[in-house]
Amino acid sequence: HEHILVDFIGADKYRPGRWNRSAVVKKVLPYLRELKALGCQTLIECTPAYLGRDPLLLKLLSEASGLQILTNTGYYGAV
């Protein structure tokens, strides 16, 4: 499984906007475009809630790369 962005700060300290979406797109997009060029059509992105799952970021990356990006709806349960 894959993670576009992971933030292990912890659920109690998590807040939206902890990262700059534009900066993440700039960093990650070349890798996703390379995947697409190699024939990949779909990426399963498994980052759980409160660890960096960002559906808006994934939508931006999907549209810019041409990859279908699927994400989950789960939570990380480890203590």
Side-chain angles (χ1 to χ4, degrees), residues 3-75:
H3 299 280
I4 298 287
L5 177 136
V6 178
D7 184 354
F8 287 106
I9 192 165
D12 59 331
K13 294 179 184 141
Y14 172 85
R15 63 173 177 72
R18 276 189 40 81
W19 48 87
N20 179 314
R21 283 190 185 116
S22 296
V24 176
V25 169
K26 184 177 179 181
K27 181 73 173 179
V28 174
L29 188 56
Y31 297 103
L32 297 181
R33 286 183 172 153
E34 184 177 351
L35 270 176
K36 178 73 174 173
L38 291 170
C40 181
Q41 296 178 12
T42 303
L43 179 84
I44 311 282
E45 209 288 336
C46 297
T47 303
Y50 303 107
L51 287 180
R53 182 177 67 217
D54 186 339
L56 294 176
L57 172 65
L58 298 179
K59 182 177 189 273
L60 290 170
L61 289 167
S62 175
E63 290 171 348
S65 69
L67 284 172
Q68 176 177 323
I69 300 177
L70 303 177
T71 192
N72 63 56
T73 58
Y75 294 93

